[in-house]
Amino acid sequence: MNVLLMYYGTPYQESEIEAYYTDIRHGHKPPKPLLEELVERYRMIGKSPLNEVSFSLARRLEAELNLRIPRFPEGLQSAPLPRTTAGDARVYLGGKHNPPYIAGALRQMAEDGVDKAVALVTAPHYSLRSIAEYRERLELALDELGEPFPVKFVQDYYAHPGYISALARRVAAALWRVRNPRGARVFFTAHAVPLKAVEADGGIYPRQVETTACLIAARLGLENWQVAWQSAGRTGEEWLGPDINDALEAAAAEGVKEAVVAAVGFPSDHLEVYYDLDYEAQETATRLGLHLVRAASLNDDLDYVRVLADIVEAAWQEEE
């Protein structure tokens, strides 16, 4: 069982930020003010753990998949079968915007003799500005390699029961930290995208995020909740809203005194969580006199690892 696990990526050190930002901007170097702003944000959070979390997630997913592979002959439970390369699960990690790049991971898979694979992005919701771009990079790299093996691409997992349960547990734990859970507003956030991208794919992305939020709210019996967006790009385009900071302003105006924010579009802690929520949104909440608690991220926790393993197994079996 061979898996390509793809993630967004983040610079390993400050000297790599410009190249990273240039890749995000499709080869166009960022204007100096925007680059300086991004550098300052990284300095303010200390360090993004996204690379380390993703490497750990890949290894833990590989271990979980290998635990699930039958090791005994049918009807025999005393002596395990010898492990073989063909029967073992192997997870390769590919970054969208920094090494190990998706193309490099695929090249390594081809060199290792992989005959088929499942490709999965850690982002749970489909968008033309997210999952679709990963798929484009994947297909381009496969084409350049001469299509060395078939790949089953997982498009989304926004409603997977295990994913919903994992998020619900973390929202519930965050609600333990507010004085009046029933009066607190719960915000479910995901990365904003330009409205033109939403219109181009028929609104799939916001509908999926809304579905994730609805399922968590139903699981917990929440009545006071809403979807908000974060991390909009610095362009002249109109982006999905409301932004989490605007949503906090509106909630405070309604008399809301406490809130929980759950970044359901971001499985891992990284810059957009640490800066946009832990710094910027917290600063807004403090100014408004609103107590804001962020629900913990999934990161490389075992419940999330098992969700990804379920998804990979189902995709692998579809190909058999």
Side-chain angles (χ1 to χ4, degrees), residues 4-279:
L4 173 59
L5 183 66
M6 295 175 285
Y7 76 113
Y8 195 80
T10 193
Y12 290 91
Q13 52 193 7
E14 189 173 301
S15 61
E16 298 173 349
I17 293 177
E18 183 174 8
Y20 166 77
Y21 204 177
T22 300
D23 192 75
I24 291 174
R25 292 168 55 87
H26 304 286
H28 301 287
K29 285 191 175 184
K32 187 176 181 180
L34 289 184
L35 176 60
E36 291 176 344
E37 180 181 338
L38 185 61
V39 169
E40 182 58 26
R41 289 188 177 199
Y42 272 103
R43 288 174 178 170
M44 289 182 68
I45 69 167
K47 182 179 183 294
S48 168
L50 181 58
N51 289 323
E52 288 79 2
V53 169
S54 300
F55 275 103
S56 178
L57 180 63
R59 297 288 70 79
R60 298 194 75 182
L61 175 58
E62 184 175 275
E64 176 66 21
L65 289 170
N66 276 306
L67 283 173
R68 298 184 181 196
I69 293 175
R71 301 296 181 192
F72 298 90
E74 187 174 351
L76 178 64
Q77 298 297 319
S78 60
L81 288 171
R83 293 172 64 92
T84 64
T85 302
D88 291 346
R90 185 163 184 186
V91 177
Y92 297 79
L93 187 66
K96 184 180 181 186
H97 295 298
N98 71 280
Y101 288 107
I102 293 169
L106 286 167
R107 190 177 306 109
Q108 185 63 57
M109 294 170 79
E111 291 175 0
D112 289 347
V114 166
D115 56 358
K116 69 173 184 175
V118 170
L120 172 68
V121 183
T122 53
H125 306 95
Y126 178 84
S127 166
L128 290 178
R129 289 296 185 94
S130 177
I131 305 298
E133 292 185 353
Y134 284 91
R135 187 163 197 163
E136 288 174 7
R137 292 184 181 229
L138 172 73
E139 291 177 348
L140 177 61
L142 285 172
D143 182 65
E144 291 176 347
L145 290 169
E147 304 290 345
F149 51 85
V151 176
K152 171 66 176 180
F153 187 87
V154 176
Q155 184 159 291
D156 55 55
Y157 60 93
Y158 65 96
H160 186 283
Y163 167 66
I164 298 302
S165 294
L167 291 172
R169 282 191 291 273
R170 286 156 179 79
V171 172
L175 284 167
W176 295 342
R177 295 181 55 200
V178 302
R179 291 178 292 275
N180 179 17
R182 290 192 176 276
R185 177 76 50 84
V186 177
F187 294 98
F188 299 104
T189 67
H191 203 301
V193 298
L195 286 182
K196 68 178 184 182
V198 174
E199 294 165 358
D201 67 12
I204 293 173
Y205 178 59
R207 284 201 305 272
Q208 289 190 353
V209 175
E210 187 78 23
T211 297
T212 296
C214 284
L215 290 170
I216 297 169
R219 178 69 60 91
L220 297 176
L222 301 178
E223 297 180 357
N224 189 6
W225 63 274
Q226 75 175 92
V227 171
W229 304 91
Q230 62 170 93
S231 314
R234 301 293 296 275
T235 68
E237 304 169 283
E238 190 174 357
W239 291 63
L240 271 174
D243 179 79
I244 180 60
N245 295 284
D246 295 334
L248 289 169
E249 294 266 7
E254 295 172 22
V256 173
K257 300 297 184 184
E258 296 180 291
V260 166
V261 59
V264 298
F266 302 103
S268 173
D269 288 325
H270 64 303
L271 178 68
E272 280 81 358
V273 172
Y274 286 163
Y275 183 86
D276 295 355
L277 295 181
D278 289 354
Y279 174 72

Side-chain angles (χ1 to χ4, degrees), residues 270-309:
H270 64 303
L271 178 68
E272 280 81 358
V273 172
Y274 286 163
Y275 183 86
D276 295 355
L277 295 181
D278 289 354
Y279 174 72
E280 198 170 57
Q282 277 289 358
E283 190 174 61
T284 297
T286 299
R287 174 174 55 80
L288 296 168
L290 193 155
H291 178 216
L292 178 64
V293 178
R294 176 173 66 84
S297 300
L298 301 176
N299 288 320
D300 64 343
D301 291 352
L302 184 57
D303 54 355
Y304 179 49
V305 170
R306 287 174 173 163
V307 169
L308 297 184

